[in-house]
């Protein structure tokens, strides 16, 4: 089965795309900095606990219609303990590096003479990094700064 392709974001200029992505990464970094530190884990009571021992999400349990349940359930716990703030900070740093590499490749492309091997190489690098940046921007489809469009 072929993966469903998402439309390109409304931003087409590389500088605008980088600006848009840096703003979103800054928002994510601010949210990660405001959260209890990671990594997070599940304690014996089933609560999600930060690295410093702070309860991030308290476990709730009970019996409804004869069924005993606990929240958060394992799939939720798995997501929360994987996507904790420390992980977010690492992901943001990697994305910021990709944007720096795109900027550097754009500069090298502009400085190289068309029809030469360096120009051909940098054309491919810029094209690839632009596509990666567009894939990064897909995460933010529907963001208010993008007109709320999906």
């Amino acid at each position: 089965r072929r993966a469903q392709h998402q439309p390109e974001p409304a931003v087409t200029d590389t500088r605008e795309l980088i600006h848009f992505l840096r703003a979103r990464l800054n928002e994510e970094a601010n949210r990660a900095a405001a959260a209890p530190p990671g990594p997070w884990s599940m304690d014996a009571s089933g609560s999600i606990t930060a690295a410093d021992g702070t309860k991030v999400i308290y476990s709730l349990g009970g019996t409804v219609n004869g069924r005993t349940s606990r929240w958060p359930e394992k799939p939720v716990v798995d997501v929360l303990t994987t996507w904790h703030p420390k992980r977010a900070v690492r992901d943001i740093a990697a994305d910021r590096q990709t944007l720096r590499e795109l900027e550097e490749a754009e500069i090298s492309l502009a400085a190289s003479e068309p029809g030469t091997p360096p120009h051909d190489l940098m054309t491919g690098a810029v094209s690839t990094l632009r596509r990666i940046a567009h894939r990064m921007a897909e995460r933010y489809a529907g963001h208010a700064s993008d007109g709320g469009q999906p």
Side-chain angles (χ1 to χ4, degrees):
R1 186 176 130 163
R2 196 168 180 190
Q4 186 96 7
H5 176 70
Q6 298 294 318
E8 296 290 328
V11 177
T12 55
D13 178 78
T14 301
R15 287 178 309 237
E16 289 179 27
L17 178 61
I18 290 171
H19 178 76
F20 173 81
L21 286 168
R22 281 199 172 121
R24 302 300 72 77
L25 292 172
N26 289 340
E27 291 170 359
E28 287 186 15
N30 290 338
R31 282 192 295 272
W40 293 353
S41 59
M42 185 172 73
D43 67 15
S45 72
S47 295
I48 305 296
T49 307
D52 65 1
T54 304
K55 297 259 190 206
V56 177
I57 299 174
Y58 286 87
S59 175
L60 303 173
T63 304
V64 178
N65 295 330
R67 181 177 175 258
T68 301
S69 65
R70 173 181 272 165
W71 193 93
E73 294 177 340
K74 178 124 175 59
V76 174
V77 169
D78 291 345
V79 169
L80 293 173
T81 57
T82 299
W83 296 97
H84 54 78
K86 193 172 185 178
R87 163 82 181 263
V89 168
R90 287 192 309 260
D91 289 350
I92 292 164
D95 288 346
R96 285 179 172 158
Q97 179 61 35
T98 299
L99 296 178
R100 281 191 297 277
E101 290 169 2
L102 173 54
E103 287 175 318
E104 291 167 3
E106 291 266 359
I107 291 167
S108 294
L109 177 61
S112 63
E113 187 175 331
T116 64
H119 187 270
D120 295 344
L121 177 67
M122 294 317 300
T123 298
V126 167
S127 176
T128 299
L129 288 164
R130 280 182 187 156
R131 290 182 62 110
I132 291 168
H134 278 283
R135 296 299 80 76
M136 288 166 56
E138 287 177 2
R139 298 179 214 156
Y140 307 105
H143 189 276
S145 68
D146 193 26
Q149 299 301 313

